[in-house]
Amino acid sequence: MSGQDLDKARAEANAARERLLGSAHALQTRLAPSVLAERAWGGVREGGEAAASKALGAVRARPVAASAIGIATIAFLARRPLARLIGRIAGAGARPATNTKPARRSRRIEGDRS
């Protein structure tokens, strides 16, 4: 290999190294946590907007059904407080409270006369 061929090979190797470093830098920039988080948040935001738009269209198409579903959901989530309120209104609060716990029995140890 002559001196010119060696210089040419070194130049090609340096050029290839520079291209590789440029590609690595570009990849590192694309895979930065902040960039990945921004892309993910953008996707979630777009998906949320699309779902909200579809839901709004469904509510506009059937307002009575949407209202019934909303009321049923709220009633399900608040079922215990609503049951207590209905119980108080119906007079369940006027009855004396019953003891629902069984009486506690004391244990005697054999040989203990106390």
Side-chain angles (χ1 to χ4, degrees):
M1 196 174 228
S2 69
Q4 281 183 336
D5 291 340
L6 188 59
D7 289 339
K8 185 178 178 185
R10 283 185 183 147
E12 287 176 7
N14 285 336
R17 184 179 304 114
E18 291 299 321
R19 284 192 308 269
L20 178 63
L21 289 176
S23 297
H25 180 68
L27 185 61
Q28 187 177 16
T29 303
R30 288 181 64 193
L31 295 178
S34 61
V35 174
L36 293 175
E38 180 69 29
R39 286 186 193 156
W41 180 247
V44 168
R45 186 175 40 233
E46 288 173 9
E49 288 173 359
S53 177
K54 278 180 83 173
L56 185 59
V59 169
R60 284 185 179 154
R62 296 185 147 167
V64 174
S67 298
I69 290 172
I71 291 169
T73 302
I74 291 170
F76 176 74
L77 293 175
R79 64 189 178 273
R80 288 186 179 147
L82 288 174
R84 282 193 300 260
L85 177 65
I86 291 170
R88 284 187 198 136
I89 291 171
R95 292 186 301 195
T98 59
N99 189 2
T100 57
K101 292 182 181 178
R104 187 171 181 189
R105 295 173 44 189
S106 64
R107 290 186 174 176
R108 275 193 141 167
I109 301 173
E110 286 188 35
D112 187 18
R113 301 245 181 219
S114 51

